Every structure is written in C-alpha cells, then in structure tokens.
Amino acid sequence: MMECYILAGGKSKRFGEDKTLFSIGGVPCIQRMVHEAKKVCNKIFVVSKNTEKYSFLKDVELVKDIFERQLPLIGLYTALNHTKEDRIVVLSADMPLIKSELISYLWNRYCGKIILYEVGGKTYTFFGVYPKKTLKALEEYLKAGGVKALDFVRAVGYTPVKEDDIAHLGISPKAFINMNTKEDARIILEMYEGSKAEDFGYDL
C-alpha cells in the first residue's frame, strides 16, 4: 500500500497568508498536490494542527498533529506514528508543481532507509520516502530538543536522489519549488499562465 502524507502544519509567516490554500488557477495549492499524489498513491492523508480547513478535500483522510509544538518534524512524527505501513511518501504542502512521476521514482528507488531529493544544491527533507522504523529515532531526536529536519536525516542517514538521476524524466527543477514567499508564488503563477499551463491540471 502506497500511502502519502502531506504535511500542512506550518503558519505561512513569510507568505503572509495560508499558502496551502493559495489559489493557482482557481484551485488551492494543497488540492493540486492531492490531485497529483492520487495518480500514484493508494491513500492520501493531510497532517495539520487545524484539519477543519481542509474538509473540502475529497477522498483524503485528515490527521491532527499529535503535539501542539510548531515544528515540521512534528508532522513527520505524526505521520510515522499514524501509518501501519513499513514506509510512506512524505510531502510538504507548499509544493504545487510536484509531478506524480517524481513520487513514483522515489518509491521505486527505496532501499530500506530514508530517500530524499537533492536538487539545485538543496536537500528536500519533506519530499521523500520515510520508513516506519525511523519513528523511534525521531522520537529520541525530538526529546533531546532537536528541531532541524536536515540535521535529523543526516544523523540517521538517507539516500540522496540528484538531478542527474531524474534527467530522463524531463521534468523541470522548478517542480521542486517550495512556495514560501509571494515571489515564489509569482513564479508559479507565471508558469501556470504560460506555455506550461497544461502541466497544472486544467481538469481540476
């Protein structure tokens, strides 16, 4: 069973409004992500401190963060604690350009430990496949006061997937954009309105 957990517990401080609900072509960012993930995943979960605001999403299970602490790793902990599968797909809720092919590629490359994309010099800690067995190490890391996701995955070890590994897929590196700021949103909207608009699901 291929389960996908979309982590949507952030406050969007830099963005100035809830970026997961930001409209792209009349469709909320997170809805576009759900749509793409559904192409390859059997079940979709959205993890958040406020699940009610995502009640409009169809065929999605909403999971409330276990702890109130405002930290992306809390969402990951909640997801790993919730699943009964041996591994899960984990996505940050602010990546509306993701493609299902990228999700499938990670899943198929999985070899027993965390696997993440490294694109443009950045490690995408919340675009990856995480094994259930990571839960214990994450719990210990959080109890010790750890807060940084990158420090955690470096400590436990992970397999990187780089740009050269996925060149054959023909997908632009812009598919990895995290929509953290309004400038990021501007780039995404320009892509939607431009020649690549067909990639963004007019059928939504």
Side-chain angles (χ1 to χ4, degrees):
M1 175 77 72
M2 189 172 177
E3 293 184 346
C4 176
Y5 285 78
I6 300 175
L7 309 186
K11 290 187 175 181
S12 305
K13 287 184 178 179
R14 281 187 288 168
F15 198 75
E17 62 181 282
D18 192 333
K19 58 185 176 180
T20 67
L21 300 178
F22 183 76
S23 177
I24 302 169
V27 178
C29 170
I30 196 167
Q31 188 173 346
R32 291 193 172 279
M33 294 190 62
V34 167
H35 175 78
E36 198 66 23
K38 279 182 178 179
K39 293 179 181 179
V40 291
C41 299
N42 303 106
K43 294 187 71 175
I44 312 295
F45 303 85
V46 172
V47 181
S48 177
K49 286 178 171 49
N50 178 9
T51 55
E52 292 181 3
K53 64 182 177 181
Y54 301 118
S55 59
F56 66 92
L57 295 171
K58 297 180 180 179
D59 301 318
V60 168
E61 184 174 331
L62 305 177
V63 181
K64 187 174 177 60
D65 272 326
I66 293 176
F67 304 113
E68 285 301 317
R69 188 179 176 191
Q70 193 68 43
L71 194 67
L73 282 176
I74 296 299
L76 176 61
Y77 180 88
T78 299
L80 290 170
N81 184 73
H82 183 270
T83 189
K84 291 180 173 57
E85 301 297 322
D86 68 330
R87 56 177 158 150
I88 57 173
V89 175
V90 175
L91 300 175
S92 175
D94 61 357
M95 302 178 73
L97 307 188
I98 63 163
K99 304 298 292 180
S100 59
E101 294 90 342
L102 293 173
I103 298 173
S104 294
Y105 188 81
L106 272 189
W107 186 263
N108 293 328
R109 284 283 303 271
Y110 176 80
C111 57
K113 64 179 181 179
I114 299 168
I115 182 168
L116 305 170
Y117 278 114
E118 286 189 352
V119 177
K122 178 180 177 179
T123 301
Y124 288 85
T125 50
F126 297 112
F127 192 164
V129 175
Y130 283 77
K132 171 81 170 180
K133 64 185 179 183
T134 310
L135 181 62
K136 184 177 180 180
L138 178 56
E139 183 174 8
E140 293 173 353
Y141 180 76
L142 291 170
K143 283 182 177 179
V147 297
K148 295 183 178 180
L150 186 56
D151 287 349
F152 171 69
V153 298
R154 283 174 174 169
V156 298
Y158 70 96
T159 301
V161 174
K162 301 181 181 292
E163 284 181 67
D164 289 347
D165 298 323
I166 55 172
H168 66 284
L169 296 177
I171 296 174
S172 169
K174 289 184 178 179
F176 293 88
I177 293 176
N178 289 103
M179 195 169 64
N180 290 316
T181 66
K182 288 296 173 63
E183 175 60 19
D184 297 329
R186 182 190 64 78
I187 294 170
I188 290 167
L189 289 171
E190 282 186 356
M191 291 182 69
Y192 178 82
E193 297 294 341
S195 60
K196 295 183 179 179
E198 66 272 11
D199 294 335
F200 292 81
Y202 275 134
D203 55 328
L204 289 176

